[in-house]
Amino acid sequence: MSTADRGPLAPIETEVPARLDRLPWSRWHWMVVIGLGTVWILDGLEVTVVGNIAGRLSEEGSGLDITSAQVTGIAAALYVAGACVGALFFGHLTDRFGRRKLFMLTLAVYLTATALTAVSFSSWWFFLFRFLTGLGIGGEYAAINSAIDELIPSRYRGRVDLIINGSFWLGAIGGSLLSIVMLNTAIFAVNVGWRLTFALGVVLGLVILLVRRNVPESPRWLFIHGRSDEANTLVTGIERDVTREKSTPERPYQLPPAETSLTIHPRKTIGFLEIGRTVFSRYRKRAVLGLALFIGQAFLYNAITFGFGAILNEFYDVSNESTGYYFAVIAAGNFVGPLVLGRLFDTLGRRIMISSTYILAGLLLFGTAWLFSAGHLNAQTLTACWCVVLFFASAGASSAYLTVSEIFPMETRAMAIAFFYALGTAAGGISGPLVFAELTSTGEVGDTALAFVIGATLMTLAGLTAVFLAVDAERRSLESIAEPLSVAPRA
């Protein structure tokens, strides 16, 4: 029987957070990054593939009676809606039952739904399993971000979180290049290539599942729930592995002493009322910040990502077989942004980097909208403009997940990630694809430029919000940024 099942829980003193934060970077941390962070590659693959195959699915003989607008509009919105529901549902379970149980369960949901998408025989089946695939991905966001930030040392947390979230675009590059081959009717039949694309996503997910089995439960979650012995045993094992890796025969490695400790009043569960009161009363300004960041990036990314292929088809006569090349270029810009700028979030700091990446992305997008509406762009130059915009936007968007993961108390972390993701994505990610599909389907340059302007406006406003409300969380422990609710004595 675990400590959490024995009734009233006695206060415990723990050095676990300080012990985790003092660790040097090691192979163990790489295992965490690969096992947990690579799920964003799957998400990028999913989103990009659907955007690129929209034209093929609408063709006669695809096996589905569906239009391109339905794929980029209804199916995209259902995927995002599923992600919102999954984030909230699985986010609550993550805070209650632990990070590890949920990041295994949510990946299983994703794998099952993606496999069933590949065998779609009707539009309603395709829509249903796009929703369920999103359900799994949304649950992943809550479980994975909370686990990663609780396992990564504080001095690396910003750059690691940004690069992991930015790895979405490695999946996007893969999806773009994959679609070039899979949509080539000289290689695969019209009704086969797109199915194999989804099937390959399942294969990648199974590989991730094998690595993920080795990722442990968060020691921070364990001691908060009264399982301090398990937490200490786990951290001791990590310290032993790191010490062995860093030691040489001539010079044994010795970890520095843990400098701080916490006295915790463990609790089994935390109610929704207390979560709401904590997030929206005690941390009201931080809640406003989280909403602004998520709404801005969600509209921009969900609208434009799902519709980029349609823009190339509609305005520049780029064939379905060739859109993957263009998307691979902007996807590369998206990944390079967090990769290059990530370190600055830990050195220059959160406030200056979050605000500047959002504002720069917004201003550059305003410029792109003007050039597009004035007819100064072609398929290549529009792609180049987007590549520059998204270099900054990707770093900013990734920092939204980092921000809501680290600025609220430990007991509410997964639920806070889920809530802000769901609300921000519902506002920008569900309406975004629907509005954007409607605007681009008119064939009017001004309508598509308007969608660019809306995204630019929301990104700029989010950046200005960060100027005033961002939290200086760089190189600080999670517990010093937001004290755990369990530290305070119970009433």
Side-chain angles (χ1 to χ4, degrees):
M1 183 185 296
S2 70
T3 307
D5 296 325
R6 294 174 186 163
L9 302 174
I12 59 171
E13 185 174 358
T14 181
E15 294 180 334
V16 162
R19 291 168 66 188
L20 289 170
D21 282 337
R22 66 172 176 166
L23 292 173
W25 191 261
S26 67
R27 285 193 296 267
W28 186 86
H29 294 104
W30 278 118
M31 183 268 294
V32 171
V33 168
I34 295 170
L36 299 183
T38 43
V39 73
W40 272 257
I41 297 176
L42 292 177
D43 192 15
L45 186 72
E46 284 284 332
V47 172
T48 308
V49 161
V50 172
N52 286 338
I53 69 174
R56 177 67 75 234
L57 283 174
S58 63
E59 292 179 3
E60 186 176 354
S62 70
L64 292 180
D65 182 16
I66 196 170
T67 66
S68 178
Q70 285 177 320
V71 177
T72 59
I74 297 173
L78 284 171
Y79 177 83
V80 175
C84 294
V85 174
L88 291 171
F89 177 70
F90 291 118
H92 173 62
L93 297 182
T94 298
D95 278 334
R96 183 168 183 178
F97 296 111
R99 299 359 182 173
R100 190 175 192 280
K101 289 180 181 178
L102 269 296
F103 64 59
M104 297 298 287
L105 174 61
T106 52
L107 183 56
V109 171
Y110 164 82
L111 290 172
T112 302
T114 301
L116 291 171
T117 301
V119 297
S120 295
F121 57 88
S122 175
S123 57
W124 70 264
W125 181 280
F126 183 79
F127 292 148
L128 172 63
F129 286 100
R130 291 310 296 156
F131 175 83
L132 294 177
T133 301
L135 194 78
I137 286 293
E140 286 277 290
Y141 280 134
I144 298 303
N145 271 303
S146 54
I148 288 171
D149 285 347
E150 290 167 11
L151 292 170
I152 298 298
S154 57
R155 62 189 178 280
Y156 303 112
R157 190 173 60 241
R159 73 196 74 175
V160 170
D161 204 296
L162 258 70
I163 292 172
I164 285 175
N165 280 282
S167 68
F168 171 100
W169 296 101
L170 287 178
I173 295 171
S176 298
L177 298 177
L178 192 62
S179 68
I180 295 170
V181 177
M182 294 301 179
L183 297 183
N184 188 336
T185 53
I187 303 175
F188 296 105
V190 174
N191 65 340
V192 173
W194 66 268
R195 298 182 190 276
L196 291 178
T197 305
F198 285 111
L200 287 174
V202 176
V203 173
L204 179 58
L206 288 171
V207 173
I208 294 172
L209 186 64
L210 292 175
V211 178
R212 189 172 288 187
R213 292 184 308 166
N214 298 313
V215 179
E217 180 57 84
S218 163
R220 283 178 157 103
W221 184 88
L222 287 171
F223 75 70
I224 285 288
H225 288 77
R227 297 161 62 177
S228 57
D229 291 343
E230 291 178 57
N232 283 319
T233 300
L234 178 56
V235 174
T236 298
I238 297 169
E239 291 171 336
R240 182 174 56 249
D241 292 343
V242 172
T243 299
R244 186 183 301 119
E245 176 188 339
K246 300 299 180 181
S247 294
T248 65
E250 299 77 21
R251 177 179 292 183
Y253 180 79
Q254 187 171 1
L255 287 167
E259 296 181 353
T260 59
S261 64
L262 291 172
T263 299
I264 296 294
H265 298 266
R267 57 177 72 193
K268 298 176 182 178
T269 60
I270 179 171
F272 281 109
L273 183 61
E274 187 170 2
I275 293 173
R277 187 164 52 239
T278 299
V279 173
F280 296 105
S281 178
R282 181 176 175 183
Y283 293 106
R284 187 179 299 111
K285 291 181 179 179
R286 297 184 181 189
V288 172
L289 172 67
L291 286 174
L293 296 181
F294 266 97
I295 290 174
Q297 65 87 26
F299 189 94
L300 176 74
Y301 274 99
N302 286 288
I304 305 306
T305 300
F306 282 117
F308 186 69
I311 294 174
L312 295 176
N313 296 152
E314 181 70 31
F315 296 104
Y316 302 113
D317 295 322
V318 175
S319 67
N320 291 322
E321 290 83 357
S322 300
T323 56
Y325 292 110
Y326 293 90
F327 207 97
V329 173
I330 67 168
N334 271 286
F335 180 65
V336 172
L339 191 65
V340 172
L341 301 176
R343 176 183 291 271
L344 300 179
F345 283 77
D346 286 324
T347 54
L348 293 181
R350 306 288 199 261
R351 186 185 303 271
I352 187 171
M353 290 306 299
I354 295 172
S355 59
S356 62
T357 51
Y358 268 80
I359 292 172
L360 276 171
L363 294 178
L364 289 167
L365 184 51
F366 277 123
T368 301
W370 179 81
L371 291 171
F372 178 80
S373 63
H376 296 314
L377 300 176
N378 55 32
Q380 291 76 29
T381 53
L382 175 64
T383 301
C385 287
W386 266 104
C387 196
V388 176
V389 170
L390 297 176
F391 174 86
F392 295 102
S394 180
S398 296
S399 72
Y401 293 93
L402 168 67
T403 297
V404 298
S405 177
E406 65 184 2
I407 64 175
F408 296 105
M410 160 77 200
E411 298 88 340
T412 69
R413 180 161 294 121
M415 198 60 200
I417 297 169
F419 176 81
F420 288 103
Y421 169 79
L423 193 58
T425 303
I430 297 177
S431 61
L434 293 174
V435 170
F436 200 78
E438 183 67 27
L439 290 173
T440 56
S441 66
T442 67
E444 296 292 331
V445 170
D447 289 342
T448 300
L450 175 61
F452 292 175
V453 168
I454 294 171
T457 301
L458 292 173
M459 285 292 285
T460 304
L461 290 175
L464 292 173
T465 302
V467 170
F468 299 100
L469 299 183
V471 178
D472 299 318
E474 58 274 7
R475 301 183 302 279
R476 293 172 57 189
S477 71
L478 294 171
E479 291 73 22
S480 69
I481 299 167
E483 185 178 75
L485 301 179
S486 303
V487 169
R490 293 178 179 175

